[in-house]
Amino acid sequence: MHSLRFTAETSSDGVVERDFTVGEVPGVLWSPVSGPGRAPLVLMGHGGGTHKKWPAMSGRAHRFVTDCGFHVAVIDAPGHGDRPRTAHDEAEIAALYRARAAGEPEGPVVVRYNAHLAERAVPEWQATLDALQELPEIGPDGPVGYFGLNMATAIGVPLTAADPRIRAAVFGLHWPDALAEAASRITVPVEFMLQWDDEHIPRESGLALFDAFASKEKTLRANAGRHKELPRFEVGSAVRFFARHLGRAVAPAA
Amino acid sequence: MHSLRFTAETSSDGVVERDFTVGEVPGVLWSPVSGPGRAPLVLMGHGGGTHKKWPAMSGRAHRFVTDCGFHVAVIDAPGHGDRPRTAHDEAEIAALYRARAAGEPEGPVVVRYNAHLAERAVPEWQATLDALQELPEIGPDGPVGYFGLNMATAIGVPLTAADPRIRAAVFGLHWPDALAEAASRITVPVEFMLQWDDEHIPRESGLALFDAFASKEKTLRANAGRHKELPRFEVGSAVRFFARHLGRAVAPAA
């Protein structure tokens, strides 16, 4: 088992940002500046083609830390951010660009490649969680959530199905094809985001993935708009969802 | 035009409750105890078989007043609460009970009767809004929202389609049959609530009504559970929706 090694630390606006590695995998942990005792942890996955410090990641992390006092960890997915690409990664990315250039649906390539990435990423997330839980400010028994859309849903669904430490999860914006079976083994509370006019993911496909979760408490949040037009207020909904299920109050809205 | 006549006043927990009539129609207006100037108004409709002071109404009204400083008005629908039933009301209610007792679907009776009630209720709501806007604490130009589920969606959809004073609306838990055409004329922001396992309203029917709204900003909130199991946290979502669109901050969560 790899332990966690911090490699850099900065802070701004009451949030401490620490880069870390667990074995070969680089990550970042955002935490409250102060505060005694332990706090819940949200694992956050980034989307395809981006990385652990993409603005959407750091922005959401700051909301979670500031509003709820959570820790938030993001790691680079295989072939993303500071990590090398394999020949297989390069071939799949080239296939995706070919499909786009030809005006063909992205779905078949994305579904297949994301399923491959998930096989590599799930054990990495579990090793990262093992290491994070050795930190005194997180601890071995604290509540853990998972938040990931797009590619991070492809990784997060099998991760959440496999790891009972994850007690609540926010997913969305993905096809059901490779995920419905794992989703049917998930029983923790789920919030699921879908774009009603998604030009890549047919509406019925998104609804089918939401339907597949076995969770007794699950909420679909479908907004008018295209694939990349998820409204910013949905981050606030995720904040309140995790506050409910990981056991924290939400700070006053700005 | 009928003006508004207050008939009783009480207050509790920082909320003033004033009974009123506009012509033959009895209503209740919940308002902040204090506060200078005008505040936005939310028109709230009650469900079939209940009335203006049903606990769900007073509970939601207290949330809106306390969290956002809104005024909230509810009137008794035709044949409900303090209002007399016509022979037609009695016949339709008997038809509903017969369908229930026979284990037949409620939908056909409910859809037909609610459409009839909406024809009577829409002009009553418009007269009530006329009268409420004469109050100095509401005023003729302030933002107005509408919140109504079940029968109150059957009334609220044609009302919102007809009345440009309503700038944002929360609907849900209804069949599309008599409403889709009016929904297609609604362009203000809409939040729509649906129960994923509704035993009365087929899932596809609920989704079809959400789909029918022409609103550029619309959000579907579908929760696992049966018709009457709408989670309580959805009231909080409605609070934030109206705060965004009627222009008020949300007070700190309890």
Side-chain angles (χ1 to χ4, degrees), chain A residues 20-43:
Chain A
F20 67 80
T21 58
V22 174
E24 302 295 307
V25 177
V28 55
L29 179 64
W30 284 282
S31 302
V33 162
S34 64
R38 292 171 171 171
L41 170 66
V42 175
L43 309 177

Side-chain angles (χ1 to χ4, degrees), chain B residues 75-194:
Chain B
I75 58 176
D76 280 332
H80 286 72
D82 297 327
R83 304 185 62 187
R85 287 181 183 169
T86 64
H88 184 76
D89 292 328
E90 298 287 4
E92 288 291 61
I93 292 162
L96 177 61
Y97 288 159
R98 274 198 307 278
R100 279 188 192 157
E104 291 166 2
E106 297 183 3
V109 181
V110 174
V111 166
R112 175 184 75 211
Y113 183 42
N114 283 356
H116 164 81
L117 290 175
E119 284 182 28
R120 293 155 67 186
V122 167
E124 293 174 354
W125 264 122
Q126 294 196 285
T128 302
L129 180 51
D130 292 343
L132 286 165
Q133 288 189 318
E134 295 201 341
L135 297 174
E137 65 269 40
I138 292 176
D141 304 314
V144 178
Y146 181 91
F147 182 5
L149 308 175
N150 296 297
M151 183 184 79
T153 282
I155 292 169
V157 167
L159 173 65
T160 303
D163 200 314
R165 292 174 289 184
I166 298 174
R167 300 196 197 165
V170 177
F171 300 122
L173 303 175
H174 210 278
W175 298 259
D177 309 57
L179 300 181
E181 187 279 324
S184 74
R185 290 183 280 119
I186 291 178
T187 56
V188 297
V190 164
E191 191 160 278
F192 188 85
M193 299 179 185
L194 177 154

Side-chain angles (χ1 to χ4, degrees), chain A residues 109-120 154-155 158 174 178-179:
Chain A
V109 181
V110 173
V111 166
R112 174 184 77 208
Y113 182 43
N114 282 357
H116 164 81
L117 290 175
E119 285 184 26
R120 292 154 69 186
I155 292 169
H174 209 279
L179 300 180

